[in-house]
């Protein structure tokens, strides 16, 4: 055996060899499982701040020709990659939907890789397939609350699926609209269905110009990707109720009718349960009525907000979700599962037959291979993480997490409202809110009606942007920012701070510190000086 061959063999056998415990990688592993928080605070230290600098560490496109020792490589990873990654576990990291995970996922992740199951087919996953189907059933039950008999007859039926597991909300939305499209453009006469004959033939067979989708302007950008991919075209996303955060059912109905009257067909209405930017929830129950009246599919994108259903306190906010034809859920958001855990759920267990595919060597007719109705092919056993989380936390554990997040977001909103120099822009519907730094005298000025609000808002936008960047770069805490249109200033967009309360370890004290830090950064900004001197000159002009 050559040296190279021996080394390769070593790489694959090493699990059985105790000596690998001495390598740097094993030390990392030990450190991670002994004390993750200590590992993160020691190693994720942002040695470099600018992305351009970090790019210098990754600017070599040459393939590594010679193998290197795992230990050497592990050191390289620590030095170049881990240091300059983001500590999403920090309780002061409240800007995005990605946050801390319960500790047991670290070991489960190892189990997942250790087993390396492929859920595309039973031959490479065995028990994982019924497990995934059960998880989909549990989540279906959370949304649709069907009878025991319903689940007994559908959970493991080869001809049915209660949903499709996938890598995330984006693929879940694509999957839902894929099924909706194929059902809408089903075989008819000599036309064998869009799945076989394509869109051009479908539009001809159904005598329509276009297929459209209605959502609010807060609809997730993945809907744009979905209609692009499905051949429907981004121009056929109809944004209803554009001066509101949520859809107005009357406007949706009128828009849908007008669209159909022009020789088009309506594919779907998409309601959002927890918009990504502001957390708003569309009036789902009323939208279900509108969809029924228009004869179109009703999809609810509950990627982020869906976990609210675990809470008896707040579940009613999503009333009507149980009438959706399909629902998107992301377990890697408010279910605290590692990334790669999205789901589409179908009200009708027969719906997914519209996208069923068969192949000779797997996914044979009548088989229960999950791959025959999923968009993705090879897929890992992430459903196990959802399964375990459901067992370890239970419904009541999730309820507690959801309730605490929402209550903390409300407390934070109160703190912002009580502070003279901050302005709450959107109230928290769930645990997401937006606000900005706006000194008291500027607020008074904006309300005075004598000013050009757009010029002042532009100054405030610059200030918000500067504060957000500096806070991020200082590395103690993180809020995100976005641009929003709000009713107070109909023709403008405002730059605002966006906060997502997710980490259960975030305390009111952390939130106070974040506001204080923002004030400290703000008062040292040239943008603030510019703004105040602008006000001065306006004041003088008015006087
Ligand atoms: C996060 C999110 C998505 C996209 O999910 P990914 O998991 O990022 O693909 C879609 N819709 C909403 C409302 C979301 O919050």
């Amino acid at each position: 055996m050559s040296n190279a061959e021996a080394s390769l063999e070593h790489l694959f056998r090493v699990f059985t060899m105790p000596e690998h415990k001495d390598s740097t990688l094993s030390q990392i592993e030990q450190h991670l499982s002994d004390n993750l928080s200590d590992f993160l605070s020691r190693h994720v230290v942002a040695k470099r701040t600018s992305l351009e600098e970090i790019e210098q560490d990754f600017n070599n496109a040459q393939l590594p020709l010679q193998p290197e020792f795992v230990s050497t490589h592990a050191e390289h990873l620590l030095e170049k990659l881990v240091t300059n990654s983001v500590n999403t576990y920090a309780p002061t990291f409240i800007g995005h939907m990605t946050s801390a995970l319960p500790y047991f996922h670290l070991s489960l992740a190892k189990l997942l890789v250790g087993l390396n199951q492929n859920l595309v087919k039973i031959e490479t996953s065995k028990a994982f397939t019924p497990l995934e189907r059960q998880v989909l059933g549990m989540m279906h039950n959370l949304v649709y609350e069907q009878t025991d008999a319903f689940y007994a007859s559908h959970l493991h039926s080869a001809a049915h699926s209660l949903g499709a597991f996938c890598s995330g909300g984006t693929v879940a939305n694509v999957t839902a609209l894929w099924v909706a499209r194929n059902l809408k453009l089903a075989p008819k006469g000599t036309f064998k269905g869009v799945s076989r004959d394509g869109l051009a033939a479908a539009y001809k067979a159904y005598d329509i110009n276009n297929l459209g989708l209605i959502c609010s302007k807060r609809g997730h950008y993945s809907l744009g990707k979905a209609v692009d991919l499905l051949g429907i075209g981004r121009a056929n996303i109809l944004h209803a109720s554009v001066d509101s955060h949520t859809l107005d059912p009357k406007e949706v109905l009128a828009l849908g009718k007008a669209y159909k009257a022009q020789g088009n067909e309506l594919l779907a209405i998409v309601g959002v349960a927890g918009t990504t930017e502001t957390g708003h929830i569309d009036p789902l129950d009323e939208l279900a009525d509108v969809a029924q009246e228009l004869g179109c599919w009703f999809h609810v994108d509950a990627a982020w907000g869906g976990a609210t259903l675990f809470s008896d306190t707040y579940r009613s906010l999503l009333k009507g979700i149980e009438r959706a034809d399909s629902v998107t859920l992301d377990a890697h958001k408010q279910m605290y599962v590692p990334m790669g855990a999205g789901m589409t759920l179908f009200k009708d267990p027969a719906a997914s037959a519209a996208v069923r595919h068969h192949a000779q060597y797997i996914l044979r007719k009548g088989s229960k291979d999950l791959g025959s109705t999923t968009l993705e092919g090879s897929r890992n056993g992430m459903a196990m993480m959802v399964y375990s989380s459901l067992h370890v936390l239970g419904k009541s554990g999730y309820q507690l997490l959801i309730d605490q997040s929402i209550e903390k977001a409300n407390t934070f909103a109160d703190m912002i409202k009580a502070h003279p120099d901050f302005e709450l822009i959107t109230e928290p519907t769930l645990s997401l809110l937006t606000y900005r730094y706006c000194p008291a005298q500027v607020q008074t000025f904006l309300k005075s009606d004598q000013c050009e609000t757009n010029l002042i808002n532009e100054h405030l936008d610059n200030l918000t942007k500067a504060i957000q960047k500096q806070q991020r770069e200082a590395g103690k805490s993180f809020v995100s920012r976005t641009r929003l249109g709000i009713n107070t200033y109909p023709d403008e967009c405002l730059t605002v701070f966006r906060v997502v309360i997710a980490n259960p370890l975030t305390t009111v004290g952390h939130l106070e510190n974040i506001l204080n830090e923002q004030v400290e950064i703000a008062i040292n900004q040239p943008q603030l000086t510019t703004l105040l001197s602008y006000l001065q000159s306006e004041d003088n002009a008015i006087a």
Side-chain angles (χ1 to χ4, degrees), residues 97 168-170 173 220 222 272 274 276 301 303-304 330 332-333:
M97 292 172 173
T170 299
N173 280 338
H220 192 261
S222 56
V272 187
T276 319
D301 182 355
W304 181 67
D330 250 346
H332 60 224
K333 289 180 178 163

Side-chain angles (χ1 to χ4, degrees), residues 111-291:
L111 181 58
L112 208 62
V113 176
L115 294 170
N116 197 30
Q117 303 291 293
N118 185 346
L119 281 275
V120 72
K121 54 187 182 285
I122 293 164
E123 288 173 359
T124 51
S125 64
K126 214 114 150 238
F128 271 73
T129 290
L131 168 124
E132 186 170 297
R133 294 187 69 118
Q134 184 188 319
V135 167
L136 288 166
M138 288 169 163
M139 299 309 292
H140 189 282
N141 201 344
L142 179 71
V143 173
Y144 295 106
E145 299 183 302
Q146 298 293 304
T147 62
D148 289 349
F150 172 92
Y151 292 109
S153 62
H154 294 111
L155 205 56
H156 296 295
S157 152
H160 299 100
S161 352
L162 298 175
F165 208 93
C166 57
S167 64
T170 299
V171 177
N173 280 338
V174 172
T175 304
L177 295 173
W178 181 28
V179 168
R181 187 199 66 167
N182 287 10
L183 286 173
K184 176 63 92 185
L185 304 176
K188 174 182 168 188
T190 55
F191 170 66
K192 293 285 198 297
V194 66
S195 178
R196 202 199 78 158
D197 293 351
L199 268 187
Y203 285 10
K204 215 184 218 171
Y206 280 86
D207 191 24
I208 54 172
N209 302 320
N210 276 303
L211 209 51
L213 176 153
I214 299 181
C215 66
S216 79
K217 66 175 173 191
R218 299 260 173 272
H220 192 261
Y221 59 82
S222 56
L223 297 172
K225 294 182 183 174
V227 294
D228 177 348
L229 202 61
L230 292 168
I232 288 157
R234 290 172 192 257
N236 291 299
I237 292 191
L238 316 173
H239 287 295
S241 327
V242 284
D243 47 4
S244 161
H245 296 290
T246 52
L247 287 170
D248 172 351
K250 282 199 203 74
E251 278 185 48
V252 172
L253 183 63
L255 186 65
K257 280 186 172 163
Y259 186 71
K260 287 175 78 162
Q262 289 158 8
N264 303 307
E265 188 50 83
L266 204 57
L267 173 66
I269 295 172
V270 178
V272 187
T275 62
T276 319
E277 280 174 297
T278 57
H280 282 92
I281 303 167
D282 282 319
L284 306 177
D285 210 22
E286 290 156 276
L287 289 174
D289 290 334
V290 176

